[in-house]
Amino acid sequence: VILVQVNPGETFTITTEDGHIQCIQGPAHVPMMSPNGSMPPIFVPPGYVSQVNFNLFLRLKCVCGCGFLTIRLLIILSRRAVESISHIFSIELTRSAVLSWNLPVSSQNGESHSHSPAAFTFEVAISNSGKNGKFKSVYVSSIKESISELVSFTTESCEPDCPAAPKLINRTKNSLSLQWKSSNDNGSKITNFLLEWDEGKNGPFKECYYGHLKQYKLTKLSPSTKYSLRLAAKNDIGMSGFSETVTYYTAGIVPPAPSPPVLIEAGVTWLSVKWSPPNGVSSDDSLTYSLDMEEEGSGYGFQPQYNGDELSCTLRNLRRSTSYKFRLFAYNSEGKSSPSEVVEHSTNPDKPGAPSKPVVKGKIHSHSVKVAWDPPKDNGGADISKYFLEISEASVGSKWDTIYSGSQREHVCDHLKPGTSYRMRVYCVSKGGESQASDVTTVTTSAVPPGPCLAPCLAGRAKPKEITLQWGKCQCFRAKYLSAFKCQNKNEKSFGPPSDKAEISTAPGPPDQCCKPLITCKSATCAVVSWESPACNGAEISEYRLEWGQAEGSMHIIYMGSCQSYEVKGLTPATTYYCRVQAVNVAGVGLFGEAGVVTTPAAVPAPVAVLHLLEEDQMETSLPLSTCLAIQWEEPCCHGAEITGYNIEYGEKQLVTVGKNTSHVLENLLPDTLYRIRIQAVNSLGVGPFSHSIKAKTKPLPPDPPHLECVVFSYQSLKLKWGEGPSRALITNPTQFNLQMEDRFGRFVTVYNGPCHTYKVQRLSESTTYYFKIQAYNDAGEGEFSEVYAFTTTKSPPASLKAPKANQLEENTYEITWEPLQPMKGDSIVYILQLAAGREFDQVYKGPETSFRLTSLQTNCEYRIRVCAGRQSQDSAGSQELYGPYSPSTVFSSQKQELVPPSADLTTELAETKKTLREERFIAIVLLCGFAVVAILFAVVIQYFVIK
């Protein structure tokens, strides 16, 4: 005998002899017979072990050798319960349990005889291993007197078990909605529940609800207040203990609007602001703040810039000299406040760019020159307040002197020396600061006539055919001599006073060696080389040759011409160059002069040459690709000054500054948006040019969870539907769904994962609330889980009955009987009997009985009868009845009975038949009573030694 215990809320599924599946819902004890000791296939719900966890065997033995009867108890347990099952077998038999059994029966000569009661000693033993295991003796007794009639005993009921703590199903500022489940009633139906609370004062508990419902709503509560609650159950025996105390909070109120943010300090591309908590908010309240900003004239409205719990924030990568509007929100656990007043703060202007190169305006005089210049192309966001003109002689080592400051853009430079080269440059000042100096302009004043030359005199001894003369130079070094020995200025046609006349005639020679050239750097990539004319030796210099190179021994000619200066362009910043000059006239080529050396100044970095987007498999850490883009680049040439950082421009000319790293993650981007990105390097001298642009697109956001609803309710299944889409997934649909259900341990486990929009959850218990949540995901990632949805299965209808039986009692009178059904979870069973003489059935009986007498039927008429079972239950909506399907119909005919006198033989045969029937019925009754006694015995053992 295998006795299967089915716990409350669980279903026992077996395969019957005819191959059908039978489901038995707990609580129930199912006796099963196994002729060979093997176990039939048992289907257990998810989360339970698939094999028998343990068997409890009770053995009844008599000493006379009649053998023993072993009853096997099967209990289906969850995996967690298996881990702690070992303590069950250490229970001492301290509670009373009445065991009863029948005397052994032996068969002799085909007849059954009972042994004498005094000849037996009975032993009851218990084991968890079966026939071959070790049994523990729990009762030994010998019968010396006659055995009384069989008596059945039922243990007394007691108060219910402690219920589980109530669960919160909804809350508002002024209410809490609670729900709970029944506990084990211990043999007496639970009639009421007692809910107590501390009134939110953390004091003694007081009653707030007493009744039979399993939910209650506390009203007129205070916002943001903690309430402690506990629950007890009551039946006719008494009140259970209280559940664990649980604490729930009512919803609160959002904070008031905070004060607007105040400016701490402003920069060219940043603003630092601070704020205070809203008035009337406790210091214990946990607040976060959201700062929104709107750029003047952008047309994008307010955009979030900061979200956190700090009371200050520095906003960077702003536009210079631009006004920004700000507003502030405060958040708590209940939501966000109204916005603060809108305030405006502006960034500072930047220093202006360099003015244009000064240019000569009008004629250059010997003692003065007028120069003019244009304002800078970039004023830094503020008007220019003053210009400064600086001048310096072109000779090496001359210092710069300021000769003008003011708002005008031209000036007459006077008190200059005739025939002298001057360098001039301009810089300007605004509210943003002082600009760099402009490019340098070189101006040479006009020369004046030279003074009188000295008389020539003989140099050395006179020769027969030639003489050597010498004379002193005039005040101007740049003079050529005529036969009359008048000095003429190179750049003027006027002459000085003539010397005494001398008649000489000499041949010209190649120019002298040139002097070391003067090199002036106009910028990091441009230099001006100038040189003085050497002695021409009787023939005017027709050409100068300039050699240039990065090494003194590998220079090459870059200029040939008559000018005494040359501008070299396309140089590399922070690089050393060498140059030298050679003069040429009709007499020949002079020697190269001494080499000049110059090092170009450092400059802004070169443009970034390599810029690309990092793919997901190239990233070290995972990023939300819907709001982030990772880029990488190669470091460009620094041009003599170490690179200190990079500026990255993306989107609508948004600028972000990063450090020396050659990779960066752009965050807080818009999902599914195309961005154009470029980058420039920064060193101590400024910013380099932007690189080429690349295009990159963010991925779309992970999908939001769909709305979950139950479209079909059943007593053992729920059909769920979500989202907008077909019930069968399309192949091209990229969105997947993850449906989870709460198990009995409070954990959410996945019951469906796929693209469909419907799913049927099966093998559920009747009239039970189940909790679900759902999540959607696609190529963009996994979305958030939805809120928890609760759906309740319906009550199960009674099973279909077998066809009723019709027994004729007398003429036109029949007794209709049908099989009974056990009450379902405490709900009573009623039956409806229908009768049909033609096509239509009419109800002839409704009630709890399993038989009904039909009278006054028509003679020789065919009738059909059928029956169905109904389930009567009570809930908050009142009394309800749930009916199962009708049984198959039974057909019978009402016939007239004919009286025939029985013969003697027939009477004898009928008597023997009746005797045989009585004996068979007696044996059947004995077997049935024995089985009933065993079932009751083990029900008691299970109740007190296993369940307790």
Side-chain angles (χ1 to χ4, degrees), residues 524-703:
T525 59
C526 179
V528 176
V529 184
S530 60
W531 56 88
E532 293 183 355
S533 177
C536 63
N537 293 332
E540 185 178 359
I541 295 175
S542 61
E543 184 181 76
Y544 296 96
R545 296 174 182 175
L546 174 64
E547 283 191 345
W548 184 273
Q550 293 187 15
E552 193 169 2
S554 61
M555 292 182 286
H556 61 280
I557 296 177
I558 61 171
Y559 171 72
M560 297 175 64
S562 59
C563 294
Q564 291 180 253
S565 66
Y566 181 71
E567 188 174 277
V568 186
K569 298 181 179 179
L571 304 180
T572 303
T575 305
T576 300
Y577 292 94
Y578 298 86
C579 66
R580 61 183 180 176
V581 182
Q582 179 185 50
V584 180
N585 62 9
V586 294
V589 179
L591 297 176
F592 276 103
E594 183 183 354
V597 182
V598 68
T599 301
T600 54
V604 297
V608 174
V610 179
L611 172 64
H612 61 90
L613 184 72
L614 285 179
E615 300 297 335
E616 186 173 5
D617 55 354
Q618 297 175 314
M619 302 177 187
E620 295 182 358
T621 58
S622 59
L623 297 172
L625 300 183
S626 56
T627 58
C628 294
L629 289 174
I631 57 175
Q632 191 176 52
W633 59 91
E634 292 184 3
E635 181 178 343
C637 179
C638 66
H639 284 170
E642 183 183 3
I643 294 177
T644 59
Y646 297 89
N647 292 333
I648 303 174
E649 185 182 84
Y650 64 98
E652 297 296 328
K653 294 187 177 181
Q654 301 180 67
L655 203 67
V656 59
T657 301
V658 300
K660 297 181 181 180
N661 295 333
T662 55
S663 63
H664 183 68
V665 177
L666 298 174
E667 300 178 323
N668 301 322
L669 305 180
L670 298 177
D672 198 19
T673 303
L674 181 65
Y675 286 89
R676 189 185 300 271
I677 305 171
R678 59 180 185 171
I679 188 171
Q680 63 182 173
V682 181
N683 61 12
S684 59
L685 299 178
V687 295
F690 274 105
S691 68
H692 66 283
S693 298
I694 63 172
K695 294 181 180 179
K697 188 175 183 181
T698 54
K699 290 189 176 182
L701 279 174

